[in-house]
């Protein structure tokens, strides 16, 4: 604190010490996120908010996937990174996938897989704290990947963080008027996050319900409550850390065909990496949808797998060179 606990405050630029450079720091023409600095004035400090400007340095390519879907993917990756880098043991214990989706009530839903690698309550709190910094505009530029990470990982995290910071600032949204869902995601970041599949890890390997299947069930419940025009379906985006496994892709396609088409909705994810993982557990909500179940059963048989009486797809895990991460988008942002 200062002598006599006095703090001088500059109400206008004419009161700001430091000449034209300090006055320019208060230029209202910049976008709205600020960085507080202290200027000494006769044994006092003046708090000045320096506006941080975000600039799109590279435009997106036509081949990039949907803008809102990319933003949901970024939220998922940010959530995953803060856990994997803050807890060295999490690398082999944390859920391999986090799904993120804008729920029918306008809130943000996040779910990991069930089973041996679940999101714990402590991890949930850490993730929420990190996401809150983006909602408040206080997220630092520096990420969580250290020098032990690959340059590709560090580069992707840098771009993810710059875009999320520009997103909350309004600059990112202004460049994408074709995506009204962005405003909905932005609003959702300021609401409590709805979590699913939060529990204590089990020691043994058990069938797992994948995170996107949990969130898809929330969507289908909402679709049934508010059906829409079949000729003008609403697209619902399912974001996540990874591309969908092949069984989840079967489920997306079956739900779109047998439920979404009738109810006026369709779910879209970033695509599938094409790898089959055994012990895929069908969620309870899906088991009563006979047409969906039958289609998934037929698709599984094509992989020499079987949907058994316990609603688990059994078979041999596919091997090969599979790309699990969604592709990078072309756009980039920088801040001063």
């Amino acid at each position: 604190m200062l002598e006599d606990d006095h703090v001088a405050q500059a109400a206008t630029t004419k009161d700001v010490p430091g000449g034209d450079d300090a006055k320019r720091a208060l230029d209202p023409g910049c976008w709205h996120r600020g960085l507080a600095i202290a200027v000494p004035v006769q044994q006092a400090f003046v708090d000045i908010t320096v506006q941080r400007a975000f600039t799109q340095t590279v435009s997106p390519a036509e081949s990039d996937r949907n803008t809102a879907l990319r933003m949901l993917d970024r939220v998922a990756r940010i959530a995953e990174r803060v856990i994997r880098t803050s807890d060295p043991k999490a690398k082999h214990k944390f859920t391999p996938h986090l799904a993120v989706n804008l729920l029918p009530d306008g809130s943000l839903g996040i779910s990991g897989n069930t089973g041996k690698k679940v999101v714990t309550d402590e991890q949930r709190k850490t993730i929420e704290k990190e996401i809150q910094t983006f909602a408040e505009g206080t997220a630092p530029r520096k990420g969580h990947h250290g020098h032990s990470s690959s340059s590709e990982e560090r580069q992707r995290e840098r771009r993810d963080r710059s875009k999320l910071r520009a997103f909350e600032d309004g600059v990112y949204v202004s460049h994408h008027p074709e995506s009204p869902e962005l405003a909905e995601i932005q609003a959702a970041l300021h609401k409590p996050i709805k979590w699913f599949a939060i529990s204590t890890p089990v020691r043994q390997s058990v069938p797992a319900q994948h995170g996107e299947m949990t969130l898809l069930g929330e969507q289908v419940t909402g679709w049934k409550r508010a059906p829409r025009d079949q000729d003008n379906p609403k697209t619902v985006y399912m974001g996540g850390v990874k591309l969908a496994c092949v069984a989840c892709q079967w489920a997306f396609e079956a739900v779109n065909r047998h439920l979404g088409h009738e109810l006026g909705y369709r779910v879209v994810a970033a695509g599938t990496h094409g790898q089959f993982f055994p012990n895929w557990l069908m969620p309870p909500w899906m088991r009563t949808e006979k047409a969906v179940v039958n289609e998934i059963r037929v698709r599984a048989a094509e992989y020499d797998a079987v949907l058994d009486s316990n609603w688990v797809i059994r078979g041999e895990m596919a091997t090969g060179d599979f790309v699990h991460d969604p592709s990078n988008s072309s756009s980039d942002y920088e801040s001063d």
Side-chain angles (χ1 to χ4, degrees), residues 195-246:
W195 287 86
F196 302 85
I198 301 294
S199 67
T200 303
V202 295
R203 293 189 177 183
Q204 70 275 20
S205 179
V206 295
Q209 180 174 307
H210 291 200
E212 52 266 70
M213 295 297 98
T214 301
L215 296 183
L216 182 58
E218 296 296 309
Q219 290 294 337
V220 170
T221 297
W223 299 354
K224 291 180 176 180
R225 291 174 179 167
R228 296 170 57 90
D229 183 1
Q230 295 180 5
D231 296 327
N232 186 29
K234 179 180 180 179
T235 300
V236 174
Y237 297 103
M238 185 69 68
V241 175
K242 303 288 186 181
L243 296 171
C245 74
V246 71

Side-chain angles (χ1 to χ4, degrees), residues 71 74-75 78 134 160-168:
M71 189 55 67
R74 289 186 194 106
V75 173
I78 289 292
F134 287 98
D160 281 345
R161 295 185 73 86
S162 68
K163 290 173 185 178
L164 269 168
R165 290 163 73 232
F167 176 57
E168 179 55 31

